[in-house]
Amino acid sequence: MSQGQAAPAIVAAANHVEMELRLLMEAIYLKYSYDFRDYAGASQKRRVLQALAQFDCPTIPALQAKVLHDPAMFRQLLQYLTISVSEMFRDPTFFLALRQQVIPRLQTYPSVKIWVAGCSTGEEVYSLAILLKEEGLLERSLIYATDINARSLDQARQGIFSLGSIKNHTANYQKTGGKQAFSDYYTAAYDAAIFDKSLRENITFADHSLATDSVFSETQLVLCRNVLIYFNKKLQNRALGLFHESLSHRGFLGLGSKESIDFSDYATRFEPLVKSERIFRKL
């Protein structure tokens, strides 16, 4: 095959893979009601190709056949399709801004409801709980921590994290203006850090999809960090719409360091509070 013939063949093969991906996501939606159809294509493709090797499937249609006939296989695939990489106090300057700019305003409310969307295995929601506790706000706060991955939610409920990550978590915490020794918040046992159960007494963990579900409560703060980058523009707008609807008048929205509302349908419905840290306030 000449170089001139190779290029169209490569394009055709790529288009074929894209079609197979779309069919797989449509099949998953119809069978299991999990909607990944508007997730960003490049990340989705990379993760599905990783799953092919792990599950010993030669093609995407072969994977689709397995997933449709075996719910246990789908639950395994779900671990690839959802993002479960996190750390406590990730991007410490964000949490410092939250401590200095947002929490003092939340302290003026008699009670506070907070939504952590896409909470994954719980590192961020426990970070938030520690921050609220140090600022005297945790006892009158109710935190909704949601995700579509049941296995991640179970891990988040337990509040048990790898002891090997604690050094990094501790360094992050100290950069946020932490007021105590980080070790005060957990007990070390069997190579794991077991976080104080008092931190999760005001946290409700629940299954929720930004792709298919609706708003469930009025909140004063929404955190959805490093989730929108995995959505296409249509799904980003849907998620931002849910956050806008959920937030009370002048409520706060926190996004990830690589995320923005600038080119969304909601660009004029929020104003930056700390733009460098992607913290916005509802207009």
Side-chain angles (χ1 to χ4, degrees), residues 211-222:
T212 58
D213 293 330
S214 57
V215 170
F216 52 87
S217 181
E218 182 180 72
T219 58
Q220 285 73 50
L221 170 64
V222 173

Side-chain angles (χ1 to χ4, degrees), residues 113-116 144-146 206 208 213-219 246:
K113 289 183 179 180
I114 301 169
W115 179 12
V116 180
Y144 301 101
T146 65
H208 183 276
D213 293 330
S214 57
V215 170
F216 52 87
S217 181
E218 182 180 72
T219 58
S246 174

Side-chain angles (χ1 to χ4, degrees), residues 12-109:
N15 289 340
H16 194 66
V17 169
E18 298 300 328
M19 180 186 69
E20 290 176 344
L21 273 173
R22 288 198 299 272
L23 290 173
L24 173 62
M25 298 309 153
E26 187 68 31
I28 287 172
Y29 176 65
L30 293 173
K31 174 74 173 181
Y32 297 105
S33 300
Y34 280 78
D35 194 351
F36 294 99
R37 295 174 298 176
D38 288 315
Y39 277 54
S43 174
Q44 186 181 86
K45 179 180 177 181
R46 182 173 61 254
R47 289 174 176 275
V48 168
L49 293 179
Q50 290 172 350
L52 290 182
Q54 181 66 31
F55 300 147
D56 196 27
C57 291
T59 64
I60 294 175
L63 176 64
Q64 179 175 317
K66 282 190 175 184
V67 165
L68 291 182
H69 293 93
D70 186 352
M73 176 68 75
F74 169 67
R75 288 192 292 272
Q76 292 181 53
L77 179 61
L78 190 61
Q79 307 312 308
Y80 286 85
L81 296 179
T82 57
I83 312 302
S84 57
V85 178
S86 187
E87 64 184 65
M88 297 194 74
F89 297 98
R90 182 178 182 179
D91 303 321
T93 53
F94 172 86
F95 282 93
L96 180 61
L98 208 60
R99 188 191 292 270
Q100 294 177 340
Q101 302 295 327
V102 177
I103 288 180
R105 292 171 167 88
L106 295 180
Q107 286 170 333
T108 64
Y109 293 91

